[in-house]
Amino acid sequence: MLLDAAILVTIAATRWHQLRHHDQQVTAAQQTLLHLQAAYDQAATAPLTALIRRRPPQPTVDRHVHHTRRAVPEHSEHVLADPSIAALTVALAEAEAFGRDPG
């Protein structure tokens, strides 16, 4: 979660500097963002793999694909094509198991 926050702050800093035409700071923030994203990719591998191993049955997966298409129709194909979609499906199934509405 710390990496998530750092990535969001860096994106905000990049945009702030872009609006003020601080070219060197924009370049530095973009490089920082690349490093943070690489660190996130490395740190997220084990938790995402563990989530994927707990994949729910196919009818549940199909239901969550439907919810994803309804929730973000303009981005759904991109989201569903992402290799981490299995982890999202598991997280939605677990939320549903605890009484949350995945929609």
Side-chain angles (χ1 to χ4, degrees), residues 30-103:
Q30 288 172 336
Q31 289 173 345
T32 301
L33 185 58
L34 290 174
H35 291 293
L36 287 171
Q37 287 173 327
Y40 179 85
D41 289 343
Q42 187 175 17
T45 300
L48 289 175
T49 301
L51 275 174
I52 290 168
R53 287 189 183 126
R54 299 191 319 245
R55 188 176 174 106
Q58 192 59 41
T60 303
V61 171
D62 293 342
R63 187 169 60 252
H64 294 309
V65 166
H66 172 73
H67 288 308
T68 301
R69 285 196 171 113
R70 282 187 42 216
V72 286
E74 61 279 356
H75 302 290
S76 64
E77 292 311 313
H78 179 71
V79 170
L80 295 171
D82 191 289
S84 302
I85 188 63
L88 175 62
T89 302
V90 171
L92 290 172
E94 288 178 357
E96 188 175 37
F98 285 109
R100 303 281 186 215
D101 177 12

